[in-house]
Amino acid sequence: MAVVIAAGLDKDVAGSPLFRGVSFKLERGDRMTLAGRNGAGKTTLLRMLAGETSVDGGELAFEKGARVALHDQRPPRERDLTLRGYVLAGCADLVALEERLRMSEVEMAERPHDGNLLDRYARDQARLEHSGGWNWRERALTPLHRLGFADADLDRGLDTFSGGELTRASLARTLAADPDLLLLDEPTNHLDIASLEWLEGYLTGLDAAVILVAHDRWFLEAVGTSVLELEAGRGRFFPGPWHAWRREVAAREIQLGKAIEKQRRELARMERFIERFRYKATKARQVQSRVKRLEKMERIERDPRDTRSLGFSFGAAERTGRVVLELEAGRLEVPGRTLLEGGRLWLERGEHVSLVGPNGAGKTTLIESLAGRRPLDGGRLRTGHNVAIGYLSQHADEVGARGTALEAAQTATGLTPNKARALLGRFLFSGAEAEKPLDGLSGGERRRLSLAILVASGANVLILDEPTNHLDLDAREALEDALAAFEGAVLLVSHDRALLDAVGARTFALENGALRSYEGGWAEYVRVREERREAQASAVTAAKQERRAAAKPTRNGRTARRGPSKNAQARIADLEREVERAEAALAAIEDELADPAMWSSPSRTERSTARHTAARKAVAEAYARWEQASAGV
């Protein structure tokens, strides 16, 4: 059965049509991506499906009882909650479901043979089991951990988190709600690569219908099963993955170009005939016939919005010495933490290198030091001969906050007003748009302005921190092409894996306070990383098997090799009993928490969750002590 059916949806904005006749049908397991330029109506369509904005025409039908959840870029409004409370508050349906089950149990005790009551209870019970059973709160908090939050963050107030962290918290809350229709608007923003990879796996295994908007091409290809294209006020559904849709669009563009050219030739022939025989009486009937055909002919044209596209290139890079940057024994610190110790990194002339690592590892701090924006806390940085560094910050801070886009471009580049306007025009600031105040620019406009300034800088070494932030797909691909063709050196930090794959020829990973170099681009780095993980997992398994084999007695009652001392054996036995006691305590608490009354109020819910978390932690710690003692024998 379909989760949602949209038939001929219309939407108007400020009295003008935004789109007309949008139709699609999604079942569980379908994951539809929305494609279209900024302003085409992607976010508006999501809000229509979520019931947050009106449907001006057409029909929407949902599966009976279907729950819909929307994640977008708006920050949480409930700032007086803890992170845990905020996420669990998004699961009101599950709290209500628990209450219905509790009330049904009371009613079944009074009417044990009521078939309708038993059926309702069974449906509600199955729904709760689908969401994790009576322990659903633990499952609901899993997305928080996989999106980069630690246990210590759970009881912090929302007002203590950054904007990016709040965006991730909003995503975790939406996923925790376990909806039947999941609507995601730019879910990849502020996620590191590890979180992106987890989210891809989570969505592809979800028993729900998903509609998403994203600019991460790798993510779209990994997750999407179909595409709804919003273009020129129309919707076009494509039943296939992202890459197949892109191929179809390219073929359609070629055909459209041919059709436009064919029609232009036909129009020119008709206009020549009319002009030539306009005043000849013998041709009057034919002339009038062609005039009427011209008036009735529907012109084949491109959407005016499609004629504007970002296309640029970096100029020729002046020659530098062979090594442009070299870091030796680099040390980086922030209050209370060392980000890098003994780091070594080098960048050679014309080389394109990627820097990867989890959020908070220190990538931005490192490249700020390499760009001369902050001092090292130890070590030595050498800059090669004739090096001119162009730096692009993560939030386009170099643009400034006062004045207009034109003034910022002139100040940064020294260009005359006319040349600065010509530069901005290449980055889609045409005419009056060049006079926009900086404090009114969108994130995408600020990024395009910072790229324009970078292109005009004449730098032969580019250090880029998340350059695709706020850029749409066309702009990301234009940047990708420009960087791939750049003859100078590039050091790139990005979570856009398609960009990393296209541009980086070598990879540095900043992990656990150390820098590691990998020959090859993103795909090679992933291969080596996975091989290392498999080797580590195999080593752990082999070590456990060896310990078990060593502890087994032989037929004559002796161990296969010299075992641990009596004191060590006694210690291990004590720790094994600790594990057993911790597991028994956890089992007792879980049996107790199966009673719906333990979750009947917010205070009881908080106490129950805390008890269960503490019991699970005690089991994990007991196992860790036992494994550590066993490994040492």
PDB file of all heavy atoms in Angstrom, residues 369-401:
ATOM      1  N   SER A 369      46.488  27.391  10.305  1.00  0.00           N
ATOM      2  CA  SER A 369      47.923  27.533  10.592  1.00  0.00           C
ATOM      3  C   SER A 369      48.742  27.446   9.310  1.00  0.00           C
ATOM      4  O   SER A 369      49.688  28.212   9.108  1.00  0.00           O
ATOM      5  CB  SER A 369      48.370  26.446  11.582  1.00  0.00           C
ATOM      6  OG  SER A 369      47.719  26.588  12.825  1.00  0.00           O
ATOM      7  N   LEU A 370      48.383  26.520   8.425  1.00  0.00           N
ATOM      8  CA  LEU A 370      49.116  26.384   7.168  1.00  0.00           C
ATOM      9  C   LEU A 370      48.958  27.623   6.294  1.00  0.00           C
ATOM     10  O   LEU A 370      49.859  27.971   5.524  1.00  0.00           O
ATOM     11  CB  LEU A 370      48.617  25.150   6.411  1.00  0.00           C
ATOM     12  CG  LEU A 370      48.865  23.796   7.092  1.00  0.00           C
ATOM     13  CD1 LEU A 370      48.217  22.677   6.295  1.00  0.00           C
ATOM     14  CD2 LEU A 370      50.353  23.538   7.269  1.00  0.00           C
ATOM     15  N   ALA A 371      47.809  28.298   6.413  1.00  0.00           N
ATOM     16  CA  ALA A 371      47.562  29.506   5.629  1.00  0.00           C
ATOM     17  C   ALA A 371      48.109  30.755   6.297  1.00  0.00           C
ATOM     18  O   ALA A 371      47.967  31.862   5.765  1.00  0.00           O
ATOM     19  CB  ALA A 371      46.067  29.664   5.387  1.00  0.00           C
ATOM     20  N   GLY A 372      48.730  30.593   7.479  1.00  0.00           N
ATOM     21  CA  GLY A 372      49.290  31.741   8.180  1.00  0.00           C
ATOM     22  C   GLY A 372      48.278  32.543   8.954  1.00  0.00           C
ATOM     23  O   GLY A 372      48.547  33.686   9.345  1.00  0.00           O
ATOM     24  N   ARG A 373      47.093  31.964   9.232  1.00  0.00           N
ATOM     25  CA  ARG A 373      46.042  32.683   9.960  1.00  0.00           C
ATOM     26  C   ARG A 373      46.155  32.534  11.469  1.00  0.00           C
ATOM     27  O   ARG A 373      45.534  33.285  12.204  1.00  0.00           O
ATOM     28  CB  ARG A 373      44.670  32.168   9.505  1.00  0.00           C
ATOM     29  CG  ARG A 373      44.409  32.321   8.005  1.00  0.00           C
ATOM     30  CD  ARG A 373      43.879  33.683   7.717  1.00  0.00           C
ATOM     31  NE  ARG A 373      43.711  33.946   6.305  1.00  0.00           N
ATOM     32  CZ  ARG A 373      42.606  34.489   5.798  1.00  0.00           C
ATOM     33  NH1 ARG A 373      41.601  34.775   6.569  1.00  0.00           N
ATOM     34  NH2 ARG A 373      42.545  34.758   4.506  1.00  0.00           N
ATOM     35  N   ARG A 374      46.865  31.530  11.933  1.00  0.00           N
ATOM     36  CA  ARG A 374      47.105  31.354  13.364  1.00  0.00           C
ATOM     37  C   ARG A 374      48.460  30.683  13.537  1.00  0.00           C
ATOM     38  O   ARG A 374      48.910  29.918  12.664  1.00  0.00           O
ATOM     39  CB  ARG A 374      45.993  30.510  14.014  1.00  0.00           C
ATOM     40  CG  ARG A 374      46.125  29.027  13.720  1.00  0.00           C
ATOM     41  CD  ARG A 374      45.078  28.167  14.405  1.00  0.00           C
ATOM     42  NE  ARG A 374      45.102  28.162  15.834  1.00  0.00           N
ATOM     43  CZ  ARG A 374      45.924  27.435  16.585  1.00  0.00           C
ATOM     44  NH1 ARG A 374      46.839  26.653  16.030  1.00  0.00           N
ATOM     45  NH2 ARG A 374      45.859  27.472  17.899  1.00  0.00           N
ATOM     46  N   PRO A 375      49.145  30.942  14.649  1.00  0.00           N
ATOM     47  CA  PRO A 375      50.466  30.338  14.834  1.00  0.00           C
ATOM     48  C   PRO A 375      50.363  28.867  15.246  1.00  0.00           C
ATOM     49  O   PRO A 375      49.363  28.440  15.826  1.00  0.00           O
ATOM     50  CB  PRO A 375      51.066  31.178  15.962  1.00  0.00           C
ATOM     51  CG  PRO A 375      49.883  31.664  16.745  1.00  0.00           C
ATOM     52  CD  PRO A 375      48.789  31.871  15.741  1.00  0.00           C
ATOM     53  N   LEU A 376      51.381  28.112  14.918  1.00  0.00           N
ATOM     54  CA  LEU A 376      51.494  26.761  15.441  1.00  0.00           C
ATOM     55  C   LEU A 376      51.796  26.816  16.928  1.00  0.00           C
ATOM     56  O   LEU A 376      52.368  27.794  17.428  1.00  0.00           O
ATOM     57  CB  LEU A 376      52.625  26.013  14.733  1.00  0.00           C
ATOM     58  CG  LEU A 376      52.429  25.648  13.264  1.00  0.00           C
ATOM     59  CD1 LEU A 376      53.758  25.192  12.661  1.00  0.00           C
ATOM     60  CD2 LEU A 376      51.367  24.570  13.098  1.00  0.00           C
ATOM     61  N   ASP A 377      51.422  25.749  17.641  1.00  0.00           N
ATOM     62  CA  ASP A 377      51.770  25.649  19.060  1.00  0.00           C
ATOM     63  C   ASP A 377      53.053  24.852  19.249  1.00  0.00           C
ATOM     64  O   ASP A 377      53.489  24.633  20.386  1.00  0.00           O
ATOM     65  CB  ASP A 377      50.617  24.988  19.821  1.00  0.00           C
ATOM     66  CG  ASP A 377      49.349  25.815  19.745  1.00  0.00           C
ATOM     67  OD1 ASP A 377      49.379  26.975  20.196  1.00  0.00           O
ATOM     68  OD2 ASP A 377      48.344  25.310  19.214  1.00  0.00           O
ATOM     69  N   GLY A 378      53.632  24.450  18.162  1.00  0.00           N
ATOM     70  CA  GLY A 378      54.897  23.742  18.191  1.00  0.00           C
ATOM     71  C   GLY A 378      55.220  23.228  16.806  1.00  0.00           C
ATOM     72  O   GLY A 378      54.329  23.069  15.970  1.00  0.00           O
ATOM     73  N   GLY A 379      56.498  22.990  16.534  1.00  0.00           N
ATOM     74  CA  GLY A 379      56.888  22.501  15.225  1.00  0.00           C
ATOM     75  C   GLY A 379      57.301  23.632  14.296  1.00  0.00           C
ATOM     76  O   GLY A 379      57.439  24.794  14.700  1.00  0.00           O
ATOM     77  N   ARG A 380      57.468  23.283  13.029  1.00  0.00           N
ATOM     78  CA  ARG A 380      57.986  24.246  12.054  1.00  0.00           C
ATOM     79  C   ARG A 380      57.213  24.144  10.741  1.00  0.00           C
ATOM     80  O   ARG A 380      56.915  23.053  10.276  1.00  0.00           O
ATOM     81  CB  ARG A 380      59.468  23.954  11.804  1.00  0.00           C
ATOM     82  CG  ARG A 380      60.126  24.910  10.824  1.00  0.00           C
ATOM     83  CD  ARG A 380      61.587  24.558  10.658  1.00  0.00           C
ATOM     84  NE  ARG A 380      62.248  25.458   9.711  1.00  0.00           N
ATOM     85  CZ  ARG A 380      63.521  25.340   9.330  1.00  0.00           C
ATOM     86  NH1 ARG A 380      64.261  24.346   9.818  1.00  0.00           N
ATOM     87  NH2 ARG A 380      64.047  26.185   8.475  1.00  0.00           N
ATOM     88  N   LEU A 381      56.892  25.298  10.179  1.00  0.00           N
ATOM     89  CA  LEU A 381      56.201  25.372   8.896  1.00  0.00           C
ATOM     90  C   LEU A 381      57.078  26.136   7.914  1.00  0.00           C
ATOM     91  O   LEU A 381      57.475  27.276   8.184  1.00  0.00           O
ATOM     92  CB  LEU A 381      54.843  26.079   9.035  1.00  0.00           C
ATOM     93  CG  LEU A 381      54.083  26.342   7.735  1.00  0.00           C
ATOM     94  CD1 LEU A 381      53.678  25.023   7.070  1.00  0.00           C
ATOM     95  CD2 LEU A 381      52.850  27.202   7.986  1.00  0.00           C
ATOM     96  N   ARG A 382      57.406  25.513   6.775  1.00  0.00           N
ATOM     97  CA  ARG A 382      58.201  26.167   5.738  1.00  0.00           C
ATOM     98  C   ARG A 382      57.318  26.396   4.508  1.00  0.00           C
ATOM     99  O   ARG A 382      56.581  25.507   4.083  1.00  0.00           O
ATOM    100  CB  ARG A 382      59.413  25.316   5.356  1.00  0.00           C
ATOM    101  CG  ARG A 382      60.529  25.334   6.398  1.00  0.00           C
ATOM    102  CD  ARG A 382      61.814  24.735   5.815  1.00  0.00           C
ATOM    103  NE  ARG A 382      61.668  23.301   5.597  1.00  0.00           N
ATOM    104  CZ  ARG A 382      61.969  22.388   6.523  1.00  0.00           C
ATOM    105  NH1 ARG A 382      62.412  22.763   7.705  1.00  0.00           N
ATOM    106  NH2 ARG A 382      61.818  21.103   6.257  1.00  0.00           N
ATOM    107  N   THR A 383      57.431  27.599   3.950  1.00  0.00           N
ATOM    108  CA  THR A 383      56.694  27.967   2.739  1.00  0.00           C
ATOM    109  C   THR A 383      57.676  28.082   1.587  1.00  0.00           C
ATOM    110  O   THR A 383      58.738  28.710   1.732  1.00  0.00           O
ATOM    111  CB  THR A 383      55.951  29.299   2.928  1.00  0.00           C
ATOM    112  OG1 THR A 383      55.081  29.184   4.053  1.00  0.00           O
ATOM    113  CG2 THR A 383      55.122  29.633   1.699  1.00  0.00           C
ATOM    114  N   GLY A 384      57.349  27.498   0.452  1.00  0.00           N
ATOM    115  CA  GLY A 384      58.268  27.440  -0.674  1.00  0.00           C
ATOM    116  C   GLY A 384      58.419  28.765  -1.411  1.00  0.00           C
ATOM    117  O   GLY A 384      57.749  29.770  -1.123  1.00  0.00           O
ATOM    118  N   HIS A 385      59.291  28.747  -2.410  1.00  0.00           N
ATOM    119  CA  HIS A 385      59.611  29.935  -3.202  1.00  0.00           C
ATOM    120  C   HIS A 385      58.417  30.383  -4.043  1.00  0.00           C
ATOM    121  O   HIS A 385      57.744  29.564  -4.679  1.00  0.00           O
ATOM    122  CB  HIS A 385      60.803  29.620  -4.119  1.00  0.00           C
ATOM    123  CG  HIS A 385      61.088  30.700  -5.119  1.00  0.00           C
ATOM    124  ND1 HIS A 385      61.574  31.943  -4.763  1.00  0.00           N
ATOM    125  CD2 HIS A 385      60.924  30.726  -6.480  1.00  0.00           C
ATOM    126  CE1 HIS A 385      61.719  32.686  -5.848  1.00  0.00           C
ATOM    127  NE2 HIS A 385      61.329  31.968  -6.898  1.00  0.00           N
ATOM    128  N   ASN A 386      58.132  31.683  -4.028  1.00  0.00           N
ATOM    129  CA  ASN A 386      57.128  32.311  -4.885  1.00  0.00           C
ATOM    130  C   ASN A 386      55.711  31.781  -4.629  1.00  0.00           C
ATOM    131  O   ASN A 386      54.883  31.728  -5.537  1.00  0.00           O
ATOM    132  CB  ASN A 386      57.476  32.112  -6.368  1.00  0.00           C
ATOM    133  CG  ASN A 386      56.766  33.118  -7.261  1.00  0.00           C
ATOM    134  OD1 ASN A 386      56.560  34.266  -6.870  1.00  0.00           O
ATOM    135  ND2 ASN A 386      56.361  32.695  -8.450  1.00  0.00           N
ATOM    136  N   VAL A 387      55.444  31.422  -3.383  1.00  0.00           N
ATOM    137  CA  VAL A 387      54.121  30.891  -3.034  1.00  0.00           C
ATOM    138  C   VAL A 387      53.176  32.047  -2.703  1.00  0.00           C
ATOM    139  O   VAL A 387      53.496  32.916  -1.896  1.00  0.00           O
ATOM    140  CB  VAL A 387      54.212  29.919  -1.844  1.00  0.00           C
ATOM    141  CG1 VAL A 387      52.833  29.655  -1.245  1.00  0.00           C
ATOM    142  CG2 VAL A 387      54.846  28.606  -2.274  1.00  0.00           C
ATOM    143  N   ALA A 388      52.007  32.044  -3.333  1.00  0.00           N
ATOM    144  CA  ALA A 388      50.945  33.005  -3.020  1.00  0.00           C
ATOM    145  C   ALA A 388      49.702  32.202  -2.646  1.00  0.00           C
ATOM    146  O   ALA A 388      49.108  31.524  -3.495  1.00  0.00           O
ATOM    147  CB  ALA A 388      50.654  33.899  -4.224  1.00  0.00           C
ATOM    148  N   ILE A 389      49.327  32.249  -1.365  1.00  0.00           N
ATOM    149  CA  ILE A 389      48.256  31.411  -0.850  1.00  0.00           C
ATOM    150  C   ILE A 389      46.913  32.134  -0.959  1.00  0.00           C
ATOM    151  O   ILE A 389      46.780  33.292  -0.563  1.00  0.00           O
ATOM    152  CB  ILE A 389      48.524  31.017   0.619  1.00  0.00           C
ATOM    153  CG1 ILE A 389      49.740  30.088   0.692  1.00  0.00           C
ATOM    154  CG2 ILE A 389      47.298  30.334   1.231  1.00  0.00           C
ATOM    155  CD1 ILE A 389      50.144  29.714   2.103  1.00  0.00           C
ATOM    156  N   GLY A 390      45.938  31.439  -1.498  1.00  0.00           N
ATOM    157  CA  GLY A 390      44.550  31.901  -1.478  1.00  0.00           C
ATOM    158  C   GLY A 390      43.770  31.034  -0.523  1.00  0.00           C
ATOM    159  O   GLY A 390      43.744  29.807  -0.666  1.00  0.00           O
ATOM    160  N   TYR A 391      43.140  31.668   0.477  1.00  0.00           N
ATOM    161  CA  TYR A 391      42.463  30.920   1.539  1.00  0.00           C
ATOM    162  C   TYR A 391      40.963  31.176   1.480  1.00  0.00           C
ATOM    163  O   TYR A 391      40.517  32.317   1.372  1.00  0.00           O
ATOM    164  CB  TYR A 391      43.008  31.336   2.907  1.00  0.00           C
ATOM    165  CG  TYR A 391      42.331  30.660   4.078  1.00  0.00           C
ATOM    166  CD1 TYR A 391      42.544  29.317   4.340  1.00  0.00           C
ATOM    167  CD2 TYR A 391      41.489  31.382   4.931  1.00  0.00           C
ATOM    168  CE1 TYR A 391      41.928  28.687   5.412  1.00  0.00           C
ATOM    169  CE2 TYR A 391      40.872  30.761   6.010  1.00  0.00           C
ATOM    170  CZ  TYR A 391      41.097  29.417   6.247  1.00  0.00           C
ATOM    171  OH  TYR A 391      40.484  28.801   7.313  1.00  0.00           O
ATOM    172  N   LEU A 392      40.182  30.108   1.561  1.00  0.00           N
ATOM    173  CA  LEU A 392      38.726  30.203   1.578  1.00  0.00           C
ATOM    174  C   LEU A 392      38.246  29.588   2.880  1.00  0.00           C
ATOM    175  O   LEU A 392      38.417  28.395   3.110  1.00  0.00           O
ATOM    176  CB  LEU A 392      38.128  29.434   0.386  1.00  0.00           C
ATOM    177  CG  LEU A 392      36.669  29.710   0.051  1.00  0.00           C
ATOM    178  CD1 LEU A 392      36.523  31.109  -0.535  1.00  0.00           C
ATOM    179  CD2 LEU A 392      36.153  28.683  -0.953  1.00  0.00           C
ATOM    180  N   SER A 393      37.649  30.411   3.745  1.00  0.00           N
ATOM    181  CA  SER A 393      37.221  29.922   5.055  1.00  0.00           C
ATOM    182  C   SER A 393      35.886  29.201   4.956  1.00  0.00           C
ATOM    183  O   SER A 393      35.138  29.341   3.989  1.00  0.00           O
ATOM    184  CB  SER A 393      37.112  31.083   6.049  1.00  0.00           C
ATOM    185  OG  SER A 393      36.041  31.937   5.693  1.00  0.00           O
ATOM    186  N   GLN A 394      35.569  28.453   5.995  1.00  0.00           N
ATOM    187  CA  GLN A 394      34.361  27.641   6.002  1.00  0.00           C
ATOM    188  C   GLN A 394      33.098  28.490   5.938  1.00  0.00           C
ATOM    189  O   GLN A 394      32.106  28.094   5.328  1.00  0.00           O
ATOM    190  CB  GLN A 394      34.346  26.777   7.262  1.00  0.00           C
ATOM    191  CG  GLN A 394      33.220  25.779   7.320  1.00  0.00           C
ATOM    192  CD  GLN A 394      33.375  24.802   8.472  1.00  0.00           C
ATOM    193  OE1 GLN A 394      32.383  24.262   8.955  1.00  0.00           O
ATOM    194  NE2 GLN A 394      34.589  24.590   8.934  1.00  0.00           N
ATOM    195  N   HIS A 395      33.116  29.660   6.562  1.00  0.00           N
ATOM    196  CA  HIS A 395      31.913  30.496   6.625  1.00  0.00           C
ATOM    197  C   HIS A 395      32.046  31.774   5.811  1.00  0.00           C
ATOM    198  O   HIS A 395      31.302  32.726   6.028  1.00  0.00           O
ATOM    199  CB  HIS A 395      31.603  30.837   8.084  1.00  0.00           C
ATOM    200  CG  HIS A 395      31.435  29.632   8.957  1.00  0.00           C
ATOM    201  ND1 HIS A 395      30.366  28.772   8.820  1.00  0.00           N
ATOM    202  CD2 HIS A 395      32.213  29.112   9.954  1.00  0.00           C
ATOM    203  CE1 HIS A 395      30.481  27.788   9.703  1.00  0.00           C
ATOM    204  NE2 HIS A 395      31.591  27.976  10.396  1.00  0.00           N
ATOM    205  N   ALA A 396      32.998  31.804   4.862  1.00  0.00           N
ATOM    206  CA  ALA A 396      33.198  32.968   4.000  1.00  0.00           C
ATOM    207  C   ALA A 396      33.433  34.233   4.826  1.00  0.00           C
ATOM    208  O   ALA A 396      32.941  35.314   4.492  1.00  0.00           O
ATOM    209  CB  ALA A 396      32.015  33.149   3.047  1.00  0.00           C
ATOM    210  N   ASP A 397      34.221  34.109   5.899  1.00  0.00           N
ATOM    211  CA  ASP A 397      34.491  35.264   6.758  1.00  0.00           C
ATOM    212  C   ASP A 397      35.263  36.358   6.037  1.00  0.00           C
ATOM    213  O   ASP A 397      35.188  37.531   6.411  1.00  0.00           O
ATOM    214  CB  ASP A 397      35.298  34.818   7.990  1.00  0.00           C
ATOM    215  CG  ASP A 397      34.524  33.808   8.824  1.00  0.00           C
ATOM    216  OD1 ASP A 397      33.293  33.960   8.937  1.00  0.00           O
ATOM    217  OD2 ASP A 397      35.147  32.871   9.353  1.00  0.00           O
ATOM    218  N   GLU A 398      36.021  35.959   5.001  1.00  0.00           N
ATOM    219  CA  GLU A 398      36.843  36.941   4.301  1.00  0.00           C
ATOM    220  C   GLU A 398      36.012  37.972   3.533  1.00  0.00           C
ATOM    221  O   GLU A 398      36.511  39.018   3.135  1.00  0.00           O
ATOM    222  CB  GLU A 398      37.801  36.237   3.329  1.00  0.00           C
ATOM    223  CG  GLU A 398      37.138  35.353   2.302  1.00  0.00           C
ATOM    224  CD  GLU A 398      36.826  33.958   2.802  1.00  0.00           C
ATOM    225  OE1 GLU A 398      37.077  33.677   3.998  1.00  0.00           O
ATOM    226  OE2 GLU A 398      36.322  33.150   2.019  1.00  0.00           O
ATOM    227  N   VAL A 399      34.733  37.702   3.358  1.00  0.00           N
ATOM    228  CA  VAL A 399      33.863  38.625   2.629  1.00  0.00           C
ATOM    229  C   VAL A 399      33.558  39.868   3.454  1.00  0.00           C
ATOM    230  O   VAL A 399      33.402  40.967   2.926  1.00  0.00           O
ATOM    231  CB  VAL A 399      32.556  37.903   2.231  1.00  0.00           C
ATOM    232  CG1 VAL A 399      31.512  38.888   1.745  1.00  0.00           C
ATOM    233  CG2 VAL A 399      32.844  36.860   1.151  1.00  0.00           C
ATOM    234  N   GLY A 400      33.470  39.711   4.780  1.00  0.00           N
ATOM    235  CA  GLY A 400      33.121  40.835   5.637  1.00  0.00           C
ATOM    236  C   GLY A 400      31.627  40.918   5.862  1.00  0.00           C
ATOM    237  O   GLY A 400      30.846  40.079   5.400  1.00  0.00           O
ATOM    238  N   ALA A 401      31.201  41.970   6.581  1.00  0.00           N
ATOM    239  CA  ALA A 401      29.785  42.105   6.927  1.00  0.00           C
ATOM    240  C   ALA A 401      29.220  43.477   6.594  1.00  0.00           C
ATOM    241  O   ALA A 401      28.017  43.697   6.723  1.00  0.00           O
ATOM    242  CB  ALA A 401      29.588  41.833   8.422  1.00  0.00           C
TER     243      ALA A 401
END
